[in-house]
Amino acid sequence: MTPQPAFLLHRKPYRETSAIIELLTLEHGRVRAVARGVQRPGSKARARLQPFTPLHVTWRGESDLKTLNLMETGGSASLLAGEGLLCGFYANELLTRTLPVEMPVPELFALYSLTLDEVALPARRAPALRRLEYSLLEALEQLPQFRALDDSLLMPDVRYDYVVSERRFQAQPPGAAGIEGRALKLLASEDWGHAGLARESLWLARRALAPLLGDRPLRSRELMMQLTARRRQSRQSD
């Protein structure tokens, strides 16, 4: 096969010297494979097989679990640290947990590569992750439909709750929690980075992604919450 551009999403040890890896590839989407010998000390493949590093890979096999044949680096790794590194791990965990095996998602692959550059910059992290989340939902045909349950247009002054099973919005009584229709109309224009909609776009993304992720919490999200709590405590003690 022709070498595929790829990124490592996840790696776990397998037997004594191998690893089972999850890759995001340009033409085949998420690919699971056994990488033989990469856990061996001094292995050149082990040094290459790192998160956020562009790769070129080939594999063999007909089952869902392939065997990696060839792996070469395709460029420099994105330089992520601190919160940016946790954002990168979140993107990897999100795609690993939700993408079906070997479902082609070339546009999502391109966006993932861009996301790694964006999360290195604090001001761009939240918009970059929202774009990735909503693009993932679109690829999985789970993107919210910005209409009411009866398929009518959303009203600007009405507050709505999101009905996940219908991918539409239910009007709420006055004083109830929810998102105003005017905010949802802005989100419908795919302006995920709108300065005034950060909370709303995050809330909606989490609601829409919840059925795909299941009950098991995201480890990267837990680490981000711990980092935020430590920073808050540090500011209070200064």
Side-chain angles (χ1 to χ4, degrees):
M1 68 180 298
T2 303
Q4 281 284 302
F7 287 94
L8 175 70
L9 296 177
H10 186 259
R11 178 176 72 185
K12 66 178 180 180
Y14 177 65
R15 295 180 176 170
E16 293 184 3
T17 61
S18 300
I20 293 178
I21 61 174
E22 304 265 1
L23 299 167
L24 179 65
T25 70
L26 176 60
E27 296 180 3
H28 298 265
R30 183 170 70 93
V31 171
R32 300 179 68 245
V34 175
R36 301 195 183 282
V38 296
Q39 298 292 105
R40 188 179 296 117
S43 166
K44 292 182 180 180
R46 181 177 184 174
R48 296 192 197 106
L49 191 62
Q50 298 297 327
F52 320 126
T53 301
L55 302 168
H56 286 96
V57 300
T58 64
W59 60 83
R60 67 178 186 275
E62 299 299 326
S63 69
D64 285 348
L65 185 62
K66 314 297 184 185
T67 298
L68 198 66
N69 278 348
L70 171 72
M71 178 180 58
E72 298 175 345
T73 54
S76 300
S78 296
L79 299 178
L80 302 180
E83 187 176 291
L85 181 63
L86 291 180
C87 289
F89 284 143
Y90 168 74
N92 285 1
E93 191 174 11
L94 181 66
L95 297 177
T96 301
R97 291 270 297 272
T98 60
L99 276 180
V101 173
E102 295 191 68
M103 171 183 167
V105 283
E107 293 182 358
L108 195 62
F109 179 92
L111 183 59
Y112 171 84
S113 180
L114 178 62
T115 300
L116 295 183
D117 294 331
E118 296 283 279
V119 297
L121 305 171
R124 298 183 184 178
R125 283 171 189 157
L129 291 179
R130 297 298 85 75
R131 280 194 295 272
L132 184 69
E133 289 165 343
Y134 284 100
S135 295
L136 171 63
L137 288 167
E138 184 175 20
L140 298 176
E141 299 183 349
Q142 294 300 315
L143 191 68
Q145 305 299 302
F146 291 91
R147 301 182 72 87
L149 279 181
D150 61 1
D151 209 35
S152 63
L153 296 177
L154 301 175
M155 304 301 293
D157 296 327
V158 175
R159 300 190 74 86
Y160 292 90
D161 191 21
Y162 183 58
V163 181
V164 178
S165 60
E166 300 294 330
R167 294 194 292 136
R168 285 176 170 78
F169 297 86
Q170 183 172 33
Q172 299 297 289
I179 300 180
E180 283 190 343
R182 60 173 51 89
L184 291 171
K185 285 177 177 291
L186 288 172
L187 289 178
S189 68
E190 301 186 1
D191 190 2
W192 316 127
H194 192 287
L197 295 176
R199 182 176 299 178
E200 289 84 352
S201 61
L202 173 60
W203 179 87
L204 183 54
R206 288 191 174 180
R207 289 290 299 275
L209 286 166
L212 302 174
L213 291 169
D215 296 332
R216 182 161 54 95
L218 289 169
R219 178 59 177 158
S220 52
R221 188 177 290 167
E222 292 179 338
L223 292 173
M224 184 68 76
M225 293 172 62
Q226 292 172 13
L227 176 61
T228 301
R230 285 198 298 269
R231 286 178 173 174
R232 187 180 298 115
Q233 291 173 358
S234 177
R235 286 195 298 267
Q236 292 173 348
S237 63
D238 288 344

